[in-house]
Amino acid sequence: MAEVVHTPRVFSGIQPSGGLTLGNYLGAMKRFVTTQDAGDMETIYCMVDQHAITVWQDPDKLRHATRELCAGFIAAGIDPEKSILFNQSQVPEHAQLGWIFNCVARMGWMQRMTQWKDKAGKNTQNASLGLFAYPALMAADILIYHATHVPVGEDQKQHVELTRDIAIKFNNDYGVDFFPVTEPVIEGAATRVMSLRDGSKKMSKSDPSDMSRINLTDSADDIAKKIRKAKTDPEPLPDTVEGLADRPEARNLVNIYAGLADLTPEQVIADHAGQQFGTFKPSLADLAVAKLEPISAEMSRLMQDPAEIDRILARGAERARTIATPILKRTYQIVGMVGA
Ligand code: AQP
């Protein structure tokens, strides 16, 4: 069988399951903008509202969070003319391909997913079926565009690997070379931003403690307070990054600084070695406020016109469907659905 060469194309998504965090910004959004601006690949970015409802969401809050996320994308630098920007539920092909992938993926694959184990906790019998099947829908989000590259934070690596497994199994089962084997793109100093209260847990929008995260909508005072109160140890910053190995909270703050300043952790350590946190934290707070305040202000401005946000999302969905519709049709033909 001739090897199919897929056009390089980028897809990534963020759940509107709460406000955007610094983790989403550094681990995902900031890198989405760099990829868009490099201009060498088509870029498709999605508000994955169908993933968000795998755990309960208040409908009004979900609508608000979806629009706010769209405002966040644009405020961070995503240009809806250059990139395709839309919410998942407006492109039904995601869920349609997701069903096919539910039939390709194996129960055992899903049971191994650490996000499933973390989010379902001990009470798996009471978790939604959607939460269990989440990675098959995520594979559909990516593969409905034949996306070849997926920029994500470290926490999503396992799901992108599962997407590869689904693509390979589909291609083998049907004797085709139809879906690309996607590459996760995990780069930079801040691919795993940790909670400000516990250096062993990732910063997350659904963490019950607001002090654990920086939200993109936080005021300058809140950002400074959260960084001031961030858990640390009593030692000064070391002379080398190796010295951060057993100091998760200190390493996290250095990585955040590096991510915000576009430096490597080595450069941050070179500039701040020997500093106490009483000195380092205010520098980090100033940097965070300088980088995040303009984004936050632009988000508020955009949120004053929700109808315009809805128009942007509808237009993005229309563009997305021009790619997704023929790929779903061909998938149906491969699978043997009459009428496709
Ligand atoms: N702490 C993080 N560090 C680096 N990257 C992160 N991402 C999320 N948290 C961090 C990246 O952001 C993108 C979108 O993630 P998501 O919102 O779809 O889901 P998530 O990873 O489950 O994020 P949250 O904040 O933890 O959401 P909830 O609390 O609703 O589960 C992904 O690329 C992710 O890697």
Side-chain angles (χ1 to χ4, degrees):
M1 196 187 323
E3 181 83 0
V4 177
V5 178
H6 292 279
T7 314
R9 187 178 279 151
V10 174
F11 174 90
S12 201
I14 299 188
Q15 297 183 71
S17 48
L20 276 166
T21 70
L22 181 66
N24 296 134
Y25 176 65
L26 292 178
M29 211 168 241
K30 189 165 184 278
R31 298 166 50 227
F32 297 172
V33 176
T34 313
T35 310
Q36 167 196 269
D37 292 348
D40 49 2
M41 288 192 253
E42 186 169 23
T43 45
I44 306 174
Y45 298 123
C46 183
M47 279 122 268
V48 286
D49 46 9
Q50 288 166 310
H51 286 282
I53 60 162
T54 56
V55 295
W56 165 252
Q57 304 292 332
D58 173 88
D60 286 335
K61 286 189 183 152
L62 178 63
R63 264 185 287 273
H64 178 83
T66 305
R67 291 183 180 123
E68 192 178 71
L69 181 51
C70 181
F73 269 106
I74 297 170
I78 296 298
D79 176 345
E81 295 301 319
K82 285 192 197 156
S83 294
I84 299 181
L85 187 65
F86 67 104
N87 60 311
Q88 187 185 25
S89 57
Q90 290 207 66
V91 181
E93 287 81 1
H94 288 236
Q96 289 172 291
L97 184 61
W99 180 257
I100 305 240
F101 287 168
N102 280 344
C103 303
V104 172
R106 307 289 93 181
M107 297 282 283
W109 298 1
M110 300 295 178
Q111 265 155 355
R112 282 196 291 277
M113 294 296 110
T114 51
Q115 179 172 292
W116 157 251
K117 291 187 215 164
D118 290 348
K119 288 201 171 173
K122 292 199 174 64
N123 195 0
T124 52
Q125 294 301 306
N126 205 30
S128 74
L129 191 54
L131 187 64
F132 188 66
Y134 181 117
L137 180 58
M138 180 165 158
D141 299 336
I142 297 166
L143 294 174
I144 196 67
Y145 303 104
H146 278 188
T148 51
H149 295 75
V150 184
V152 281
E154 188 67 45
D155 62 311
Q156 290 295 333
K157 182 165 183 245
Q158 200 184 26
H159 287 164
V160 183
E161 283 166 357
L162 192 117
T163 298
R164 294 164 65 90
D165 292 340
I166 289 177
I168 292 167
K169 182 161 169 26
F170 182 97
N171 289 346
N172 284 341
D173 286 355
Y174 292 100
V176 291
D177 191 359
F178 184 59
F179 286 115
V181 179
T182 301
E183 288 296 331
V185 185
I186 302 171
E187 292 164 346
T191 55
R192 190 163 173 78
V193 178
M194 308 310 280
S195 157
L196 298 179
R197 307 304 301 162
D198 177 351
S200 67
K201 268 172 61 183
K202 82 165 183 158
M203 183 180 286
S204 178
K205 42 178 128 63
S206 57
D207 190 311
S209 164
D210 192 55
M211 290 300 284
S212 69
R213 62 178 162 264
I214 291 173
N215 305 299
L216 289 200
T217 49
D218 280 344
S219 67
D221 284 351
D222 282 340
I223 294 174
K225 183 173 85 185
K226 288 177 178 181
I227 292 177
R228 196 169 60 245
K229 293 196 175 251
K231 186 175 167 205
T232 39
D233 56 47
E235 301 299 317
L237 284 175
D239 298 336
T240 62
V241 279
E242 288 72 35
L244 294 168
D246 298 320
R247 300 175 61 190
E249 282 85 14
R251 189 175 59 227
N252 189 34
L253 295 189
V254 168
N255 285 346
I256 291 175
Y257 195 109
L260 285 168
D262 291 318
L263 296 172
T264 62
E266 286 77 6
Q267 288 168 315
V268 177
I269 285 295
D271 291 343
H272 299 272
Q275 271 183 6
Q276 297 290 345
F277 284 104
T279 310
F280 182 68
K281 281 179 169 178
S283 307
L284 177 58
D286 288 348
L287 174 66
V289 169
K291 295 285 179 181
L292 301 183
E293 240 190 353
I295 298 176
S296 175
E298 180 62 1
M299 279 172 77
S300 321
R301 193 189 68 76
L302 292 164
M303 282 300 280
Q304 283 165 15
D305 190 356
E308 175 59 12
I309 292 185
D310 291 1
R311 273 191 293 276
I312 290 170
L313 292 175
R315 169 81 189 111
E318 221 175 274
R319 289 172 66 200
R321 290 194 80 182
T322 62
I323 305 174
T325 306
I327 291 179
L328 183 73
K329 186 176 170 65
R330 182 71 195 117
T331 310
Y332 275 9
Q333 287 167 350
I334 292 169
V335 170
M337 303 292 190
V338 171

